[in-house]
Amino acid sequence: MADSKTDKKLPNDPAGEIDTALVRQLADILNDTELTEIEVERGDLKIRVARELTVAAAPVQYAAAPVQAAPPAAPAAAPASMPSDPATIVSRKGEEVKSPMVGTAYLKPSPEAPPFVQAGDKVKKGQTLLIVEAMKTMNPIAAPRDGVVVDIMVGDAQPVEFGEALVLLEE
């Protein structure tokens, strides 16, 4: 007699070829790793198992605390570093250090600490400019070369997208 675990077939499978044990193994692989989907093909059979991750809620709640705790001068400084006039943005010269991931940018190692860098600071290649938190992991963003910080283009605890300019270094 065959093992009932491997003989189970999915009810909507017209050919009766999909093994539920295989689907469960693929789901276990997703749970044991940081993968969000996995796909297997065997001949004409193709199985894709995926899971949906929702991480936006936690960073948004955390981001509100530093803004409320900031001194009155801090909110006024953020708009100055992020001009809304397109002509100003186009006229900037320098190398943009871009975000390698989606996450939340933090300009300081902790809410009460001074920022990693400020406009006008000289930096060395490899020096931490800021951090981007993604999936509860703090990822340091390092200077790609020696230079001078012309502008910090994001605010503290600001959500950032992949490829978004974070810091402008002098050419």
Side-chain angles (χ1 to χ4, degrees):
M1 181 170 197
D3 182 8
S4 63
K5 249 186 173 178
T6 59
D7 284 347
K8 276 189 188 174
K9 305 300 177 193
L10 295 178
N12 294 336
D13 179 25
E17 297 176 3
I18 298 177
D19 185 347
T20 57
L22 175 60
V23 174
R24 288 182 195 273
Q25 287 175 341
L26 295 174
D28 287 342
I29 291 170
L30 288 182
N31 289 334
D32 294 343
T33 64
E34 292 184 19
L35 296 174
T36 56
E37 71 178 61
I38 189 167
E39 189 171 308
V40 175
E41 285 187 56
R42 288 186 183 159
D44 292 337
L45 176 65
K46 186 177 190 178
I47 299 174
R48 180 176 167 267
V49 179
R51 65 177 166 172
E52 194 172 306
L53 295 179
T54 54
V55 294
V60 172
Q61 292 172 352
Y62 179 78
V67 173
Q68 293 170 353
S81 66
M82 299 181 301
S84 59
D85 178 21
T88 306
I89 295 170
V90 172
S91 67
R92 292 182 175 195
K93 291 187 179 179
E95 178 182 354
E96 292 179 341
V97 178
K98 297 183 179 189
S99 180
M101 66 196 72
V102 174
T104 303
Y106 293 101
L107 305 179
K108 305 181 273 186
S110 67
E112 58 279 338
F116 288 105
V117 294
Q118 296 179 353
D121 286 356
K122 290 182 181 179
V123 295
K124 297 281 185 191
K125 180 179 180 176
Q127 180 179 341
T128 300
L129 302 172
L130 52 91
I131 53 178
V132 174
E133 183 251 338
M135 296 179 63
K136 302 189 189 254
T137 301
M138 300 298 177
N139 302 284
I141 306 301
R145 60 177 177 78
D146 292 356
V148 176
V149 176
V150 176
D151 194 12
I152 299 171
M153 304 168 80
V154 294
D156 192 36
Q158 176 182 324
V160 295
E161 296 292 326
F162 172 79
E164 183 176 341
L166 303 172
V167 175
L168 187 65
L169 289 180
E170 183 180 60
E171 288 184 324

